[in-house]
Amino acid sequence: MAKEGRNIIDEQVVVGEEKGFVRLATLNRPRQLNVISSEVVLKLAEYLETWEKDDKTKLILIKGAGRAFSAGGDLKMFYDGRESKDSCLEVVYRMYWLCYHIHTYKKTQVSFVNGISMGGGASLMVPMKFSVVTEKTVFATPEASIGFHTDCGFSYIHSRLPGHLGEFLALTGARLNGKELVAIGMATHFVPSAKLADLEERLVGLDSGEMDVVRSTVEEFSEKVDLDKDSILNKQTIIDECFSKESVKHIIQAFEAEGSKEGNEWITPVIKGLKRSSPTGLKITLRSIREGRKQTLSDCLKKEFRITVNILRSTISPDVYEGIRALTIEKDNSPKWSPATLDEVAEEKINLVFEPLEGDLELHIPETEENRWGGKYET
């Protein structure tokens, strides 16, 4: 019986547990680095809605099984649906709708991010009331490099980072570690991984979801953050100077000029990565981040939904499928972009990706508290 019970849990993509007044959600696809599939989104939304409405639930904990928190969206799922129009419409809609509810969740949540947290997976980290990172945490938003764009609310999040760091992270896919995430406010606490189990046990034992109580408990285990000398965050002046330029082309030119100066050797591999990335993905991403500065969370998510649907429809380019093929299917790392250069990507084409979708095919964000959990895909 015990073995049967273990197998049932192993098969669940998200394991939900009730522990007193605490509810624990574990992303449970460790062999796939806990990538987000349609089933994962469905179960997470179901748990979070139930727990927010449950008076007995005071605190929510989210973590990932294995060496990843979540590596983001299930790219193979998108690739397999490439021949069928809007085959992934439902999972995209549900994910962005869920992102809104995570950002605005009524109860205290704590995410334990002890590993890879990338793309859409990081949308289960950054918006939480408390996000605990460790020395094993690796964050990135590398979507532009494969012909996609920075989504799941990150056109809102990145556009609010210091200076032009958001443009830098979105365009280059640069990685940040746990200490760096705390330093820029994308995580709240750094806790050594060896202490995570004890912290979880303490939180489960709390008879409270009060912010101050949870905060003081986490702080008992957390450590002060000191950035490494070569941290990218210590390059903010150069980043701001280059990534404030008006276009991707001008950003790369300015960045190359800085890279030619003594002591800026770190720029060379970043430039190589930018030049290997999808020109269409880069242009879409820069515009989305720039627009995000003046948009609300709801506006950003609605915009991202339109962009994603148009990208998956190959409205102006099939780059996303070529990027996924080169990265994860055939793994030759030699994508053939179409168009192949930044100069060939016309602004009129980029405009098409941002246009409202036909009919009622838009993301419906709840506008009143009474209808907070309304706007579901099925309705």
Side-chain angles (χ1 to χ4, degrees):
M1 286 295 290
K3 186 177 180 181
E4 284 181 21
R6 182 71 253 168
N7 288 342
I8 290 171
I9 290 177
D10 287 344
E11 292 169 4
Q12 295 176 336
V13 295
V14 183
V15 179
E17 300 174 79
E18 297 186 4
K19 299 184 176 185
F21 295 102
V22 175
R23 302 294 179 262
L24 174 63
T26 303
L27 305 175
N28 193 42
R29 302 180 74 197
R31 287 187 297 278
Q32 294 81 25
L33 302 181
N34 297 321
V35 293
I36 299 171
S37 64
S38 54
E39 192 179 355
V40 170
V41 176
L42 202 59
K43 289 303 295 182
L44 264 180
E46 181 183 305
Y47 283 134
L48 291 176
E49 179 177 0
T50 299
W51 294 339
E52 186 180 277
K53 293 176 178 178
D54 176 22
D55 292 337
K56 295 178 182 177
T57 300
K58 296 182 180 180
L59 180 63
I60 315 293
L61 308 180
I62 298 181
K63 64 180 182 178
R67 65 188 180 92
F69 177 69
S70 174
D74 189 338
L75 298 182
K76 187 175 185 300
M77 171 185 68
F78 291 130
Y79 189 78
D80 289 346
R82 66 194 182 282
E83 301 295 342
S84 177
K85 182 181 177 182
D86 293 344
S87 63
C88 294
L89 179 66
E90 180 176 345
V91 65
V92 169
Y93 185 101
R94 289 188 186 280
M95 185 61 194
Y96 293 0
W97 181 88
L98 178 60
C99 285
Y100 173 81
H101 289 85
I102 290 171
H103 274 266
T104 59
Y105 205 66
K106 302 299 183 186
K107 294 185 177 177
T108 305
Q109 333 105 303
V110 182
S111 58
F112 295 111
V113 186
N114 188 35
I116 298 166
S117 179
M118 293 189 178
S123 68
L124 306 175
M125 172 187 77
V126 180
M128 299 297 180
K129 305 289 195 303
F130 300 101
S131 44
V132 175
V133 292
T134 75
E135 75 282 358
K136 296 180 180 179
T137 304
V138 180
F139 164 86
T141 45
E143 296 91 342
S145 67
I146 62 163
F148 201 56
H149 68 112
T150 307
D151 68 332
C152 290
F154 274 94
S155 70
Y156 178 81
I157 294 166
H158 277 353
S159 63
R160 283 154 178 78
L161 291 177
H164 293 274
L165 184 61
E167 284 101 323
F168 173 78
L169 294 175
L171 294 176
T172 67
R175 297 184 173 194
L176 298 180
N177 61 34
K179 292 180 179 180
E180 290 168 329
L181 289 168
V182 173
I184 59 171
M186 293 179 76
T188 61
H189 296 84
F190 180 89
V191 174
S193 58
K195 295 183 179 181
L196 272 190
D198 290 339
L199 172 57
E200 181 181 330
E201 186 178 343
R202 279 287 301 280
L203 290 173
V204 168
L206 288 181
D207 183 18
S208 175
E210 292 293 325
M211 291 278 288
D212 290 343
V213 175
V214 174
R215 181 183 294 107
S216 63
T217 302
V218 176
E219 285 174 352
E220 289 180 36
F221 294 81
S222 67
E223 295 184 355
K224 183 176 177 291
V225 165
D226 292 312
L227 291 177
D228 298 331
K229 185 179 67 173
D230 59 351
S231 169
I232 198 72
L233 300 185
N234 292 326
K235 321 289 187 186
Q236 183 87 41
T237 302
I238 293 174
I239 288 171
D240 288 349
E241 172 63 28
C242 298
F243 285 78
S244 61
K245 303 305 181 188
E246 66 179 32
S247 69
V248 176
K249 184 176 181 178
H250 289 120
I251 285 171
I252 292 176
Q253 288 173 345
F255 209 31
E256 283 183 312
E258 287 292 336
S260 66
K261 298 176 183 177
E262 187 177 348
N264 285 348
E265 292 80 11
W266 63 275
I267 291 177
T268 301
V270 183
I271 287 286
K272 286 182 179 178
L274 275 169
K275 290 185 173 181
R276 283 197 304 264
S277 298
S278 158
T280 301
L282 291 174
K283 282 198 169 186
I284 291 172
T285 295
L286 180 62
R287 174 167 164 180
S288 181
I289 299 294
R290 295 270 166 89
E291 287 189 359
R293 284 201 169 89
K294 301 175 183 177
Q295 292 174 324
T296 64
L297 171 65
S298 296
D299 290 338
C300 282
L301 288 168
K302 289 176 182 178
K303 170 197 64 185
E304 291 170 8
F305 178 71
R306 292 169 187 156
I307 296 172
T308 294
V309 170
N310 278 312
I311 286 177
L312 294 179
R313 286 178 174 178
S314 299
T315 298
I316 65 170
S317 169
D319 273 5
V320 69
Y321 300 117
E322 175 62 7
I324 295 172
R325 180 205 63 75
L327 178 69
T328 67
I329 306 300
E330 296 178 15
K331 300 181 181 179
D332 57 26
N333 289 314
S334 298
K336 304 294 186 291
W337 304 125
S338 177
T341 67
L342 287 167
D343 287 338
E344 293 175 273
V345 183
E347 290 306 314
E348 309 86 73
K349 293 285 189 181
I350 298 297
N351 291 340
L352 295 176
V353 179
F354 287 78
E355 288 293 315
L357 301 167
E358 70 275 8
D360 196 37
L361 187 58
E362 294 284 347
L363 182 67
H364 292 268
I365 300 292
E367 297 180 357
T368 65
E369 283 302 310
E370 295 75 22
N371 191 40
R372 173 164 163 71
W373 290 93
K376 292 186 175 73
Y377 176 81
E378 55 268 29
T379 59

